[in-house]
Structure formats: C-alpha cells, structure tokens
C-alpha cells in the first residue's frame, strides 16, 4: 500500500528534460510589481532562442535566501545558473568557489559606468564575481513642520529632539536596533563616518581604531538611552521604522528610500512635511559615510551554461531593466548615468507623486559609501558584532571596544559559539 | 487481520508459553514483527543515515564554507560547546521555558479537557474552538503575538494602559513567549487528556461517588491513575517539544534579551554559520538532554513501555 | 457522558460561562489574525484590535492571496501532502501499536524507545543529510519527498498514543460478542472498532497538524510550487517594497490556511470521544 501511494504521488517527481533551448534558472526574490518577470521576458526576447531564463523564487528574507542558496551550492546543485546575491555574500561565496569569476573579456561590460562601491561589492581579491544589479543606502528623513534645518551630526539631532520634546512635539528618533544585520549597518556607518573601519584593507585582521570606534559606540549608546529612543528600538527593523514614522510619533528617521512612497500612500499628511538629508555625521564638518547594500547577480559554479548565464545576467542588469526596477519596485540603479536620467529622477507613481525626489542626495551618499568587511567570515563577524552591541542601550563605549575587538578576532577564526 | 488474530493470540495465551515456544507463539512473534516492520522500516531508512551522519559530523571539523579544510577532531567540538558559557546559559533558558510552560499547560490542559468532556451543551463548537490554536501555523501565531505586543502597532499596550516595550527586556519577553507557547500547544495536551478521560469508565467513577468519595478524591485516586498512560504520552511529548522550541522565540526576539535557547543556538551554528562540526555537536548535546528528560519521565511514571494487557 | 437528571439553570449558567471563557481563550488571537487580514495597509499599525475600515483587499485585491498562484499551489500541496501523510502514518502506527500491545515478540521496548529517540533528535541537523539523500534519490521537491519525513517524525507520537489507547481497550469484548453470536467481522466492527476509533482519530489529528504546520522540512526539501507547502510559501510573500513586511497578506493566508483545520476538527471531534459508552464495560 505504501508503494502504491508512493507510485501515485511520484508522478509529481521530475519533469522531462527537453533538449533544445537551454533553460537558465535565475534564483531571486520575486520583487514587487513583477519587475523581474518583465525583465526576463525582455531578455528572453533579446536572446532570440539561444537561451531562456526562468525565475526561481527565493524567500523574501535575505538570511533565508542565503540559507537556501548555500545548501544547494554546497551540494553542487547544477540547477542554479544565476542568483541574486546580497553584497555581503560575495566574499563568502567566492572563497568557497560556489560562484564563478566573471570572464575577463566581459568584466568591462559588467562594470563600466557603474557605481564604484557597487562594483567593489561584487569583487573579491581583485576578481569580479558578479554584475551589480541594484544598490541601497540610508538617508535621514525629517519633518519640515518640526525642523527647519536638518541636523548635520548625531549630537545636533539629539539636541534638536530635546528641543522638540520640551516643546511637546513628536521627538522620536528611529533607527534599526534589532538583533540583525541592520544593526551592523548602523554601527558600520557610524564607524566609517568617524573615520574607522572594522577590518583592515585585506579583510584579514581586526582594525577598529580606538578613537573612532569609541565615538561610534558613544553615539549608539547616547541615542538608545535618550528619551527620544522609541520603546521598541531594540526590536526595530526597517519596516518598524517606517511604521513609527507613519504613526506620527517620529521626528527623525534613518532609513532607506522605500519610506517615501509608503508615506505618500499611507500617511499623506506626514508625507507632505517629509524631507530628507544625508545620514548625520559623527564628527562636525566631516561628511558622513554610509554603508551601501544591494544585490549583484552571480553565476553558479555548477551550472551547465556559464557563458550563456553571463550573457543573461548582463542583459538582466542592463540599463532598461534597472530603470524599470527603479520605477516599479523601488530598486535603486547601479549605473551612474541613470541618476541623471529623467526616466528615473522624474518617475512618478499613479498618484502623480515623484518616486525619487531624493535621487541627487542618494547619489552623493552612494559615491561616498563604504562596504561592510569583505571576508569569507563575514557572517561570523556580523554575528559577533550583533552579540556585543545588542541591545544598544546597554553599550559601554569604554569596555566594549575591546570586547568587540576580541569577538571579531574570534569570529575571523571561525571558532567558538556565537 | 484484526478479526482473526485476537482469537489466535487469545488461544495462544490460553495455551501459555511453555519452556519452548509453541507454534502459535512463534507465529505470534512473526506477526508482531511483521506488523511493526513497515513503521520501523520507514523510520530507520529515513533517519538512520542522517542521524549517523550527524553523529559522525560532530567529530569533524567541517565548515561548509571551507570544504577543503576538514579533519577528524574527536571530541574537540563537544569540549568547545560544553566549555562555552553561551551553551549553559541557553540551556538554562530552555529549561525554564520548558518547565514553566509544561506545568501550566498540564493544569490548563486538564481544565480544557474537562470542559470538552463534560460540557452539557455546545460540545462540538467548544472542542473545535480549542483545537484551532494548535492548528494555526506556528510562525504565523508567533508573529501575531509579537505584533499584538509591539508598542507601536499592537493593541495590548492600549488595552492594558501601559507603555511597556515587551521584547526589550528579559522577563517580559519570557512572559510573551511562554504565553504564546501555552496558548498554542495546550490544545495538544488537552486533546490527549480528553482522550484519556474517555478511557475512564463511568461506572468506576460513579461507584466511587456513591461510596462517598469527594470530587477531589475521585480525581486523585480514581480518574488520574486510570488516565496515566494518556498523561504520560501528553507530558512526555509536550516536554520534548517544549525543550526544542524554536519558531516562537525566533520570530519574537531572535534570541535577544537572553531568551536564546539551545535550538536557536543549533540553528545559528549549523545553518547560519555553516559550521557543520560544531552545529552537529550542539545537536547531539540537545539530543542527549532530551534523552535524559525522557528517561526521567518514563522512570517517574513507572509505566512499563510495552506492557501487554489482555484483560481489562 | 449524559448530564444528570437535574440540570438546573445554575448548572447551565456555569457551563455557559465556562464555555464562553474557553472559546475566548482559544479564539482571541485567531480573531486578531482575522482582523489583521481585514485591515488596509494604512491601518495595520493603528494599534487597535478591530479594523476601522475593513476591506477584503488582502484576499481579493491586487496583491491578495486569492490572486497569488504560488499560494494556491501551496494550499493544494499542503492539503494533499498532509492528508496522505496522515493516512499512511495512522495505518502504519495502528499496525505497530496493535502488535506492541497485543502480541508478544522480542524487541518491543527497542522499537518504542527507538521511535522515541527518532522523534527527539533535533531535526535541524537531519535536514542537511536528508537534503543530500533526497537529491540523489530524486525525491527533492516532490510530494513523497515531504510525505516520507512527515510520516517518519510523526510515527513515534502516533505509535505511543495508539499504544496508550490500545492498552486500555478490553479486547476480549469481541470474544464476548462472538459468544453472543456475532461473526468475527461484526464483532470487530461493532465492538472493537468504536473503541479503537478515539485513539486513531486523535493520532490522525496530531499527525495532520504536524504535517500542516511544519516549516523546517517544507523550506529545506522543496524548491518550487510543485511541492512547497503553505508555511514555506508564506516566507515568499513580498510586500509592496523591498523592506515592507506583508502583514496583511500573511494574515489573510493564515486565515485561509486555518479553515481546513477547523473543518477537519469539527468532523473528527465527535469521533474522538465516541468511544466507551457506559454499557460496554463491566469490570
């Protein structure tokens, strides 16, 4: 009976393999507006029968995407031809040889005209391993009815919030303080703005210069222990920040651009007063440096058609698709020219609201942006940082510099429990 | 099958197993093994290799990101885990959650089972309603609880009139996690206890009542002993599951505020950090702990595992 | 259980209140999920329990779950896989439990404790090798690929539950019935089967809910709509942007996914307690 049942249900197993047009599977999260589907249609057309791309959906959460990809890549899965890789995975995947280096002759096509940081994020040990697809960085969002001049530094922001509190106005400052990657982004941005870095150039040793690290930790602690820290700061991710902003309790919000269209749709009163500025500096008169995020398209090491995959990826990450991704899904382009292109900068949603009024400031931030440490051990490093820094309200700037250094050193050896 | 064998086995028992196995007894053995074979085969085939592999992995240094850097390290992984205070802290957290939730669930489960059993009207809806929490997908339920207790978007703070940020402190996080667990899995307990109630024959209970026994006495001395098998299964499996709780904690706090437990640790090491050697060692240690718990339970209840009962 | 001859109003009030409390306990969080699913995106964060502007957007609207092909496939997968796994698991467990309780053979304790050990081993470390095994056997991303692990991990609970039940059944009742003139089959059907039913239906519910609820195996052993079940499919929901959490859709999906459970439970709950009637058992 068992066998019969299995036989019946086994018809679901294994579709036929047809020889003919090679099918390239693109493992990516299916973004809003079906933009990847449309990109695939366009690129399949352009391929003129040489290959056919098929989207293989991944979970919405980046950690779960990595989980799925790694499990299959480590097993030598030939099904993965192309995949969307978070910028922090490049070193790990490249070192484990799960992705192929980009062919020498195609590197120029993949990198020319693209943001430097984005190209760097797809590079490991001077070899390019992917083509940048989209990028991201945070801005400071504030309300014109509460603040005339956006604060230039974190200390200024705290002072402004103090004043607002005294005046009985909304005064919360929202950042991402949850125990996850977003906290590392906050810390790394502060550290870079203070002039420090987590690892050295090669990514082999801990750097964490004393003074900048202490400054960064002080900012974290000051914001988190102030009366302007929302009660849920220690569990706030990007979406919680958006919700806090739209509820009207917030005066300042550090977050990605997705909050703009959302506020316009869901909280128009607040959106009317919404303005933006660069990520606050740590040192006065020293412009801030934010961490850049985003995704690159990588080629699976075990796929059957690597050369076709490279072609497909180059098409998928081409300018027309980047433009559509920006218009319909809010994914920021990586090609520099697009930041001057009215199709992007003047794009509007159905309600006639401009989608990227902040394009110029965003481009500036991206030009100055930094990356998180590019080491195969990045996952462990990230966990180590998170375990020391969370909750941010409990940070002790003096002691935690050393604790952080020790934890990251251990992480770089891949040892111990985290 | 079932019609013939009771007669056959009853006959075999009447004959009695002598110093040598009679033909009937032998065929009974064969039948017994045959009946168990499908279940045993499935279980062994599916988990045999993975468990053996996990055990073997725990003695290796094997990081999935560095597949070339593998080697036998004996018990080094275990020493690393047992020597790390994080493991012991997580173990304590896990035990706290387990004990508190299981105890409350047992009491609450009894009450619910009682209602399901004895309600004089509306039994169908009540029983269905009680089982619904158990049927809701765990991650969704956890998310709903978290959302409800979120200071910005939830309704609990408004309801209770507090400003408490539940997930930023250890004890309030524990409270919500345990509440969510209890809400979700008490139905499991009460289902088994309800089934246990049905095993208690009315006449025995009525006889006791007629003899003048109070409700409490009836409960303690009559009903509960007769329900022992059902209680054992309910407690045992519930405790094992409670020890390995993962989804709720992960969704609500991700293990922050010292609510991290051993399952989250295992997941982080194995799946997130891809350290198969260390992660397998953590898993094996979790298994050992669970075995100890099971052992204590079974011993404590004193029921023999496969007691044969022909007569009632 | 029949109520006694005097069911006064006081009793009814007592039970009525008790039932209301119990139902509230069980359903308030469920109601919360339902109201979440009825809230438009703007109101999701308004901090109130009831939706101020209820809408069916999350169900039938643009991004609604009814329009989501992936979700519909997942629902179908979930139902099929859970039902088949339940059927097979209960059958196998019944055989085994019957044998363990009624027959004498070596290895009983080994089987019971071995089964328990299997249920206790942390699944997270099993999915790795299981994934590799399934890929080699072409069971990855198939229905059997999920049905088999679900059976495996519910068999211990089912066997233990059924053993506990079967041990309490007065098996010789069917002997008595046959002495009274019933055929063996009639004896089985009218006497033994009703006594075995509560245990079997209880096990069936437990197995079904395990298969229905499971997330770990579903995410690790599936890849496409061919076999992905609802708990895994929920993680594929994307909000209106990269970072927006699709609260409404997830709530709507959960509501839809709970309906089969309610149906199943409504059908089964009578069978669970339909066992011993007061006349059947005499010391």
């Amino acid at each position: 009976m068992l066998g019969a049942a299995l036989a019946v249900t086994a018809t679901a197993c294994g579709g036929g393999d047809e020889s003919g047009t090679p099918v390239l599977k693109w493992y990516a999260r299916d973004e809003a507006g079906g933009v990847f589907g449309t990109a695939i249609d366009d690129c399949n057309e352009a391929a003129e029968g040489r290959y056919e791309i098929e989207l293989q959906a991944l979970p919405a959460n980046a950690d779960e995407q990595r989980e799925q990809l790694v499990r299959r890549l480590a097993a030598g899965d030939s099904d993965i031809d192309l995949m969307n890789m978070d910028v922090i995975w490049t070193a790990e995947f490249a070192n484990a040889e799960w992705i192929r280096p980009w062919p020498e002759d195609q590197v120029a096509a993949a990198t020319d005209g693209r943001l430097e940081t984005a190209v760097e994020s797809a590079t490991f040990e001077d070899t390019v391993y992917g083509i940048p697809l989209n990028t991201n960085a945070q801005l400071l969002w504030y309300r014109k009815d509460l603040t005339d001049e956006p604060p230039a530094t974190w200390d200024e922001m705290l002072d402004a919030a103090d004043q607002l509190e005294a005046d009985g106005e909304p005064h919360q400052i929202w950042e991402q303080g949850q125990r996850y990657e977003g906290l590392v982004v906050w810390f790394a941005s502060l550290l870079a703005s203070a002039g420090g870095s987590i690892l050295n150039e090669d990514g082999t040793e801990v750097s964490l210069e004393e003074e900048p690290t202490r400054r960064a930790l002080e900012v974290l602690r000051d914001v988190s222990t102030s009366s302007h820290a929302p009660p849920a700061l220690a569990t706030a991710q990007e979406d919680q920040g958006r919700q806090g902003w739209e509820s009207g309790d917030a005066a300042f919000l550090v977050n990605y651009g997705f909050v703009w269209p959302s506020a316009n749709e869901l909280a128009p009163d607040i959106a009317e007063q919404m303005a933006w500025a660069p990520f606050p500096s740590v040192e006065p008169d020293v412009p801030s440096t934010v961490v850049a995020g985003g995704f690159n398209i990588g080629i699976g090491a075990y796929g059957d058609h690597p050369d076709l995959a490279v072609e497909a990826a180059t098409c998928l990450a081409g300018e027309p698709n980047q433009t559509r991704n920006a218009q319909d899904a809010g994914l920021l382009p990586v090609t520099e020219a697009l930041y001057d292109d009215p199709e992007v900068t003047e794009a509007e949603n159905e309600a006639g609201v401009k989608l990227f009024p902040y394009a110029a400031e965003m481009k500036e931030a991206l030009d100055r942006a930094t990356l998180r440490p590019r080491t195969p051990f990045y996952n462990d490093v990230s966990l180590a940082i998170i375990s020391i820094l969370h909750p941010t309200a409990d940070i002790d700037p003096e002691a935690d510099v050393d604790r952080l250094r020790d934890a990251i050193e251990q992480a770089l050896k891949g040892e111990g429990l985290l | 099958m079932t019609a013939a064998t009771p007669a056959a086995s009853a006959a075999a028992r009447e004959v009695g197993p002598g110093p040598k196995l009679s033909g009937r007894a032998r065929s009974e053995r064969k039948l017994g093994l045959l009946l168990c074979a499908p279940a045993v085969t499935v279980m062994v085939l599916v988990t045999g290799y993975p468990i053996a592999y996990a055990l073997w992995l725990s003695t290796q240094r094997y990081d999935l990101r560095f597949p070339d850097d593998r080697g036998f390290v004996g018990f080094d992984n275990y020493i690393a885990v047992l020597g790390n205070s994080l493991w012991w802290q997580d173990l304590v957290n896990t035990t706290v959650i387990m004990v508190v939730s299981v105890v409350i669930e047992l009491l609450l489960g009894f009450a619910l089972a009682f209602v399901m059993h004895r309600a004089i009207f509306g039994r169908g809806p009540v029983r269905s309603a009680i089982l619904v929490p158990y049927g809701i997908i765990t991650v969704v339920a956890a998310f709903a609880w978290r959302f409800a207790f979120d200071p910005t978007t939830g309704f609990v703070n408004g309801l209770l009139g507090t400003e408490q940020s539940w997930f930023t402190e250890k004890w309030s996080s524990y409270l919500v996690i345990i509440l969510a667990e209890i809400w979700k899995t008490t139905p499991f307990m009460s289902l088994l206890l309800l089934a246990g109630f049905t095993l208690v024959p009315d006449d025995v209970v009525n006889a006791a009542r007629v003899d003048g026994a109070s409700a409490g006495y009836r409960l303690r001395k009559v009903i509960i002993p007769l329900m022992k098998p059902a209680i054992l299964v309910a407690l045992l499996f519930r405790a094992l599951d409670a020890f390995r709780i993962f989804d709720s904690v992960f969704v609500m706090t991700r293990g922050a505020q010292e609510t991290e437990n051993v399952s989250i640790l295992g997941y982080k090491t194995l799946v997130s950090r891809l350290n198969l050697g260390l992660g397998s060692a953590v898993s094996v240690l979790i298994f050992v702990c669970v075995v100890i718990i099971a052992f204590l339970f079974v011993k404590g209840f004193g029921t023999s595992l496969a007691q044969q009962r022909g007569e009632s | 259980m029949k109520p006694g001859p005097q069911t006064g109003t006081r009793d009814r009030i007592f039970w009525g209140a008790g039932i209301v409390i119990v139902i509230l306990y069980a359903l308030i969080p469920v109601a919360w999920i339902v109201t979440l699913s009825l809230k438009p995106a703007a109101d999701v964060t308004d901090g109130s329990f009831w939706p101020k502007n209820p809408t069916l957007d999350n169900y039938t609207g643009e991004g609604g779950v009814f329009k989501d092909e992936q979700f519909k496939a997942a629902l179908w997968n979930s139902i099929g896989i859970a039902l088949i796994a339940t059927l097979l698991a209960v059958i196998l467990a019944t055989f085994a439990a019957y044998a363990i309780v009624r027959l004498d053979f070596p290895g009983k304790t080994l089987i019971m404790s071995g089964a328990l050990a299997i249920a206790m081993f942390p699944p997270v470390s099993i999915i790795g090798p299981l994934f590799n095994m399934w890929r080699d056997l072409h069971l990855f991303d198939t229905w059997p690929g999920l049905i088999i692990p679900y059976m495996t991990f519910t068999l211990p609970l089912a066997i233990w539950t059924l053993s506990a039940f079967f041990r309490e059944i007065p098996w010789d009742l069917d002997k008595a019935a046959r002495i009274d003139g019933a055929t063996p089959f009639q004896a089985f059907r009218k006497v033994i089967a009703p006594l075995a039913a509560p245990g079997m239906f209880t096990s069936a519910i437990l197995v079904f809910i395990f298969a229905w609820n499971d997330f770990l195996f579903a995410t690790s052993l599936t890849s496409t709509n061919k076999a992905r079940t609802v708990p895994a499919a929920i993680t594929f929901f994307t909000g209106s942007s990269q970072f927006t959490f699709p609260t409404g859709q997830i709530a709507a999906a959960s509501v839809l996914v709970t309906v089969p459970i309610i149906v199943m439970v409504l059908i089964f709950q009578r069978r669970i307690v339909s066992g011993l009637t007061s006349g059947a058992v005499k010391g």
Side-chain angles (χ1 to χ4, degrees):
Chain A
M1 184 186 289
L2 177 62
L6 281 181
V8 162
T9 51
T11 50
C13 167
D17 272 334
E18 299 139 25
S19 56
T21 325
V23 174
L24 301 172
K25 297 275 186 62
W26 181 25
Y27 279 71
R29 167 190 149 134
D30 198 4
E31 292 289 349
V35 290
F36 286 169
T38 327
I40 288 179
D41 289 339
D42 287 351
C43 287
N44 283 343
E45 229 183 277
E48 289 168 349
R50 268 166 321 152
Y51 57 78
E52 208 181 295
I53 310 173
E54 218 180 270
L55 181 68
Q56 188 77 297
L58 286 176
N61 177 277
D63 288 330
E64 289 173 39
Q65 292 167 22
R66 172 173 169 272
E67 204 187 302
Q68 300 242 329
L69 287 173
V70 166
R71 180 179 297 131
R72 302 178 73 148
L73 290 168
D77 196 339
S78 61
D79 202 48
I80 303 184
D81 295 297
L82 306 113
M83 70 192 103
N84 271 13
M85 306 189 309
D86 195 320
V87 292
I88 49 178
W89 303 340
T90 311
E92 189 183 35
F93 284 23
N95 188 63
E97 292 176 11
W98 292 330
I99 49 179
R100 288 178 194 265
W102 214 256
E104 287 286 338
D105 49 336
Q106 307 277 343
V107 167
T111 58
D112 278 353
R114 299 190 189 231
L115 290 162
E116 211 184 298
T117 334
V119 173
E120 252 184 72
S121 74
T123 313
F124 176 64
E125 286 178 351
D126 295 325
T127 317
V128 174
Y129 278 92
I131 181 170
L133 178 62
N134 55 59
T135 184
N136 226 330
Q138 298 196 354
L139 292 172
L140 171 67
W141 303 85
Y142 66 100
R143 284 168 54 169
K144 292 186 292 226
D145 56 338
L146 297 176
T147 321
D148 293 321
E149 276 294 320
T153 71
W154 284 87
D155 289 332
E156 269 182 48
M157 185 161 69
L158 286 170
D159 291 336
D162 286 335
Q163 184 59 46
L164 286 169
E165 190 181 9
D167 294 337
E169 303 269 23
H171 60 99
Q172 281 180 353
I173 302 177
W174 279 85
E175 244 278 17
Q176 290 92 54
Q178 162 74 298
R179 198 183 178 155
Y180 81 130
E181 185 64 23
L183 178 55
V184 180
V185 168
W186 188 11
F187 170 67
S189 302
L190 288 174
L191 184 60
S193 302
S197 67
I198 299 178
L199 298 182
N200 63 359
E201 276 287 328
D202 304 326
T204 51
E205 272 178 21
V206 182
S207 185
L208 284 186
E209 300 82 349
E210 176 80 34
E211 183 62 31
T213 313
R214 208 175 36 78
R215 268 306 282 144
L217 293 178
E218 271 171 23
V219 170
L220 281 172
R221 184 211 43 198
D222 290 342
V223 172
S224 312
T225 51
S226 75
S227 55
H228 319 297
L233 180 64
T235 53
Q237 300 187 343
E238 292 88 354
D239 206 42
Q240 277 73 18
R242 171 190 70 85
Q243 290 164 357
W245 178 257
E246 287 171 14
S247 73
D249 292 330
F252 301 106
L253 170 70
V254 176
N255 217 325
Y256 298 96
F258 79 104
V259 295
W260 169 256
S262 176
N264 274 285
E265 193 192 323
L266 304 179
D269 303 327
I270 299 188
E272 251 184 276
Q273 305 297 334
M274 204 163 159
W276 55 92
F279 186 82
S281 309
V282 174
E283 300 302 327
D285 299 325
V286 175
S288 63
T289 310
V290 280
V291 159
F295 279 80
N296 308 319
I297 305 185
I299 311 295
Y302 308 100
D304 296 321
H305 313 279
D307 23 310
L308 293 178
V310 168
E311 233 190 279
T314 314
C315 170
L316 289 169
E319 284 179 39
N321 289 321
Q322 283 186 51
T323 311
R324 186 189 310 108
N325 293 351
Q327 291 164 340
D328 295 341
L331 302 172
L332 292 173
V334 289
T335 302
E336 302 204 64
L338 287 176
Y339 285 88
D340 295 319
D341 188 340
E343 276 210 50
V344 172
T345 56
E346 302 298 317
E348 292 179 358
N349 67 5
E350 291 116 24
V353 176
K354 282 235 218 126
L355 287 172
F356 299 104
Y358 53 85
E361 285 83 355
M362 181 63 80
K363 173 78 169 30
E364 265 180 50
L366 288 169
D367 282 335
R368 282 200 314 269
T370 181
L371 291 172
R372 283 158 282 178
R374 287 179 291 155
T375 157
F377 290 100
Y378 179 71
N379 195 263
D380 293 26
V381 170
S382 168
L383 283 173
I385 295 177
I386 291 170
S387 68
I388 302 284
L389 292 185
H390 189 271
T392 47
D394 289 347
I395 291 180
D396 173 0
E398 298 300 332
D400 282 346
V401 177
D402 289 322
R403 288 180 62 212
L404 204 50
R405 200 173 279 136
D406 291 337
I408 299 181
E409 259 164 23
Q410 247 213 329
L412 284 176
K413 297 189 224 147
E415 286 169 13
L417 297 176
L418 284 169
Chain B
M1 165 208 79
T2 36
T5 7
S9 52
R13 264 192 300 287
E14 277 159 7
V15 167
K20 286 211 181 81
L21 285 178
S22 66
R24 290 251 160 83
R26 242 203 308 260
S27 75
E28 185 176 321
R29 282 178 66 171
K30 234 177 52 174
L31 182 64
L33 290 168
L34 193 66
L35 286 178
C36 284
V40 171
T41 317
V42 170
M43 290 193 287
V44 167
L45 279 185
V46 174
T47 61
Y49 166 66
I51 291 185
Y53 187 62
L55 283 171
W56 175 77
L57 268 183
S58 67
T59 62
Q60 306 277 316
R61 179 188 65 234
Y62 187 1
D63 189 320
L64 212 52
R65 299 167 299 186
F66 308 101
D68 303 321
D69 187 22
R70 298 165 58 162
F72 179 76
V73 289
F75 285 110
D76 277 3
N77 286 328
Y78 290 98
I79 297 176
V81 174
L82 290 172
N84 195 311
S85 64
L86 189 59
W87 162 259
W88 294 107
Q89 191 180 307
D90 289 353
L91 194 59
V92 166
N93 292 345
T94 316
T95 315
V96 166
I97 292 183
M98 179 188 86
V99 169
V100 173
S101 47
V102 171
V103 165
I104 298 183
E105 281 174 35
L106 185 62
L107 300 172
L108 194 54
F110 249 111
L112 289 179
F114 189 66
V115 171
M116 288 201 277
H117 187 51
R118 292 289 302 273
I120 51 184
F121 58 85
R123 249 180 272 176
V126 166
R127 289 189 202 140
S128 315
I130 289 183
L131 285 179
V132 167
Y134 188 49
I136 295 211
I137 295 178
T138 319
V139 282
V140 171
F143 169 68
W145 279 87
R146 181 179 120 195
F147 209 68
F149 277 83
D150 187 305
T152 316
T153 63
F155 65 90
V156 172
N157 272 357
L159 201 64
L160 299 178
T162 80
E163 279 296 317
Q164 172 81 348
S165 179
W166 298 84
F167 298 111
T168 55
E169 279 160 54
K170 180 169 179 180
W171 294 109
S172 49
S173 307
Y174 261 146
L175 183 68
V176 182
I177 290 174
I178 290 179
L179 265 181
E181 263 305 287
I182 291 176
W183 175 79
K184 180 134 207 318
T185 52
T186 303
F188 170 84
M189 191 80 100
S190 60
L191 179 62
L192 286 172
L193 291 176
L194 170 67
F197 270 136
T198 69
L199 296 177
V200 177
D202 269 350
D203 352 8
V204 179
V205 178
N206 284 333
R209 186 192 287 133
V210 162
D211 282 349
S214 71
Y217 184 86
R218 288 204 306 274
L219 190 67
R220 275 196 340 270
K221 295 284 189 199
V222 178
I223 298 181
I224 290 189
L226 284 174
M227 287 177 60
K228 242 190 181 184
I231 298 182
L232 170 63
V233 175
L235 265 185
L236 180 61
F237 280 87
R238 188 58 213 118
L240 299 182
D241 282 344
F243 191 80
R244 295 175 307 164
I245 180 180
F246 179 81
D247 293 345
S248 300
V249 181
F250 191 74
V251 165
M252 289 198 235
T253 62
R254 290 169 165 260
Q257 272 73 252
E258 291 178 41
T259 55
E260 179 175 283
N261 61 15
V262 289
S263 295
I264 290 193
L265 182 64
Y267 174 86
K268 264 204 311 199
T269 317
L270 204 51
V271 175
S272 183
R273 295 184 55 209
L274 302 172
N275 193 328
L276 300 186
L278 215 53
S280 300
V282 171
S283 300
V284 172
L285 285 172
I286 295 178
F287 177 64
V288 167
C289 293
V290 170
V291 167
I292 294 177
I293 294 174
F295 186 71
L296 291 173
F297 259 108
V298 176
K299 265 286 178 297
F301 265 77
T303 17
S304 117
L305 279 177
Q307 206 178 21
Q308 193 177 330
R309 289 215 5 210
E311 295 83 70
S312 51
Chain C
M1 289 287 327
K2 289 205 276 269
Q6 301 107 324
T7 321
T9 19
R10 212 187 50 176
D11 278 347
R12 296 187 82 87
I13 293 179
F14 169 72
W15 279 112
I19 288 177
V20 167
I21 293 180
V22 165
I23 293 191
L24 281 181
Y25 153 89
L27 295 186
I28 284 191
V30 180
W32 168 236
I33 298 182
V34 172
T35 59
L36 266 185
S37 74
L38 294 173
K39 281 188 185 172
D43 291 349
V44 153
T45 63
D46 61 7
S48 83
F49 188 86
W50 300 106
K52 299 202 179 106
N53 308 302
T55 161
L56 285 180
D57 248 4
N58 291 319
Y59 292 92
T60 54
E62 258 296 318
V65 285
F66 280 143
K67 294 232 164 82
D68 190 343
E69 285 309 317
Q70 193 222 147
F71 180 71
K72 286 195 258 195
L75 203 50
W76 170 239
N77 289 337
S78 268
I79 293 178
I81 291 177
L83 280 178
I84 296 179
T86 304
L87 189 66
L88 292 177
V90 171
I91 291 176
L92 293 187
T94 306
F95 289 174
Y98 178 84
I100 287 174
V101 167
R102 294 273 293 159
L103 305 174
D104 186 23
F105 58 93
K108 271 198 263 193
T109 325
L110 182 63
I111 291 179
M112 290 287 268
S113 32
L116 194 59
I118 285 175
M120 298 193 298
F121 203 83
V124 71
S125 58
I126 293 189
I127 46 177
L130 201 60
F131 170 77
N132 290 332
M133 268 168 73
W134 264 206
R135 280 185 68 252
D136 291 335
L137 294 172
H138 295 293
L139 285 175
F140 179 73
D141 202 33
T142 63
W143 278 30
L146 279 183
I147 292 174
I148 296 176
Y150 288 161
M151 275 170 54
T152 311
F153 285 91
T154 52
L155 273 174
L157 176 61
I159 293 178
W160 273 70
T161 307
L162 285 168
S163 303
F165 270 88
F166 285 0
R167 208 177 308 138
E168 302 301 321
I169 294 180
W171 293 99
D172 296 326
L173 267 189
D174 85 324
K175 210 166 42 155
R178 269 182 289 123
I179 288 177
D180 284 348
T183 71
F185 184 65
Q186 272 178 333
F188 171 71
R189 201 164 67 87
K190 292 226 181 291
V191 179
I192 298 290
L195 298 180
M200 291 181 64
F201 280 100
T202 306
S203 304
I205 288 193
L206 294 175
V207 174
F208 185 86
I209 290 186
F210 176 91
W212 191 256
N213 249 326
D214 164 79
F215 172 76
L216 199 56
F217 291 103
T219 35
S220 318
L221 300 178
T222 64
S223 163
T224 68
N225 290 344
K226 278 198 303 194
R228 196 183 301 132
T229 59
V230 172
I234 284 187
T235 64
F236 282 69
F237 285 1
T238 53
S240 50
S241 80
Q242 219 183 0
F243 294 102
T244 315
F245 193 74
T247 314
Q249 287 100 311
I250 291 188
S254 322
V255 170
L256 285 182
V257 150
T258 312
V259 168
I261 294 277
I262 297 182
V263 167
M264 211 200 61
V265 165
L266 268 172
I267 296 177
F268 277 12
Q269 50 89 19
R270 301 191 70 214
R271 309 308 236 105
I272 295 177
V273 280
S274 68
L276 294 167
T277 58
S278 19
V281 183
K282 300 242 187 267

